[in-house]
Amino acid sequence: AQRVTQPEKLLSVFKGAPVELKCNYSYSGSPELFWYVQYSRQRLQLLLRHISRESIKGFTADLNKGETSFHLKKPFAQEEDSAMYYCALTGTGGGADGLTFGKGTHLIIQP
Amino acid sequence: EPEVTQTPSHQVTQMGQEVILRCVPISNHLYFYWYRQILGQKVEFLVSFYNNEISEKSEIFDDQFSVERPDGSNFTLKIRSTKLEDSAMYFCASSIGYSNQPQHFGDGTRLSIL
């Protein structure tokens, strides 16, 4: 069964400090990995996906197949980064697979 | 920028009653999804829909649930006889393709079963 684990329910860091949100996954194949973000009173929105290998709002995430991880990183946190962050995966089986989400990490950036 | 819209934002229903949650996906998207999030728990996949039929469904999506695309724009989730444990936030999403294509989410409908 596929599973996404985000070990930290809450992460609090000071502005300007580095941020790393952990995500580990379990999947018996080659998954597609995503990070979604939900800012206060806003909808879930895609932050980035591993296939595009891009940096969005200063965040990057590298897929490590050996460690089955997809940690989200940012070198210098900003106050506007405070939000709920969800790691998610989907299969590549050819059907419209739904996303399997982790429980989410609430990131708080302190001034 | 086009958005997925969901109505109503909050639905209160008596246990045992039928409820229909509505969604308008982004117009050129072909894949549609429903998810739910029980308070304090993770977002869970319910069902996906493509080409006017269910593509995938989870164990949660039992005979009490059904989905429909009654016209060219709406995508609905029906719960036939609601239970207390159906109380949750229900999210609709749509995507232009599947797999690595991003899913765009609506604001959700908060369903409260009394």
Side-chain angles (χ1 to χ4, degrees):
Chain A
Q2 56 200 54
R3 187 168 60 244
V4 175
T5 304
Q6 293 180 251
E8 303 133 332
K9 199 170 180 179
L10 174 66
L11 183 63
S12 179
V13 301
F14 286 102
K15 177 181 167 183
V19 171
E20 183 178 46
L21 300 169
K22 290 186 166 46
C23 172
N24 287 90
Y25 67 89
S26 172
Y27 185 76
S28 59
S30 293
E32 300 291 341
L33 274 297
F34 305 85
W35 276 98
Y36 279 81
V37 61
Q38 188 171 30
Y39 300 103
S40 179
R41 297 191 183 87
Q42 295 187 29
R43 61 186 62 197
L44 265 170
Q45 55 188 282
L46 179 71
L47 180 62
L48 52 79
R49 45 184 170 156
H50 91 269
I51 196 167
S52 52
R53 302 183 67 81
E54 56 195 344
S55 172
I56 304 291
K57 299 184 180 182
F59 285 97
T60 58
D62 290 318
L63 180 60
N64 185 323
K65 292 185 179 180
E67 295 182 358
T68 59
S69 68
F70 188 56
H71 302 326
L72 183 69
K73 299 177 185 178
K74 184 168 182 175
F76 307 104
Q78 298 170 296
E79 287 185 67
E80 54 265 34
D81 296 329
S82 294
M84 278 295 293
Y85 290 80
Y86 296 93
C87 183
L89 72 77
T90 189
T92 54
D97 293 344
L99 292 163
T100 297
F101 283 89
K103 288 187 176 181
T105 298
H106 188 187
L107 177 64
I108 297 174
I109 308 300
Q110 298 191 48
Chain B
E1 187 176 330
E3 291 183 336
V4 174
T5 56
Q6 289 186 244
T7 54
S9 57
H10 190 189
Q11 174 80 43
V12 181
T13 301
Q14 291 288 331
M15 187 173 62
Q17 295 295 305
E18 175 184 285
V19 67
I20 297 175
L21 308 182
R22 302 180 193 281
C23 169
V24 179
I26 294 173
S27 62
N28 64 337
H29 285 187
L30 302 176
Y31 295 83
F32 315 117
Y33 309 83
W34 283 102
Y35 294 84
R36 78 170 186 194
Q37 186 176 30
I38 295 171
L39 189 63
Q41 298 186 25
K42 64 173 69 177
V43 177
E44 300 172 292
F45 168 69
L46 293 177
V47 66
S48 61
F49 193 86
Y50 169 70
N51 201 26
N52 281 319
E53 60 183 26
I54 289 175
S55 181
E56 303 283 343
K57 61 182 180 179
S58 72
E59 292 175 351
I60 303 168
F61 193 86
D62 61 23
D63 292 343
Q64 293 296 313
F65 291 90
S66 62
V67 288
E68 198 176 36
R69 189 153 161 84
D71 53 42
S73 59
N74 289 285
F75 178 52
T76 62
L77 174 70
K78 183 193 292 186
I79 308 175
R80 285 191 186 81
S81 178
T82 50
K83 301 177 281 225
L84 293 176
E85 52 264 39
D86 293 327
S87 294
M89 196 76 173
Y90 288 80
F91 294 103
C92 175
S94 69
S95 64
I96 199 162
Y98 59 87
S99 188
N100 61 26
Q101 296 301 314
Q103 294 180 24
H104 297 257
F105 284 79
D107 283 330
T109 293
R110 179 166 300 284
L111 178 62
S112 300
I113 308 300
L114 304 179

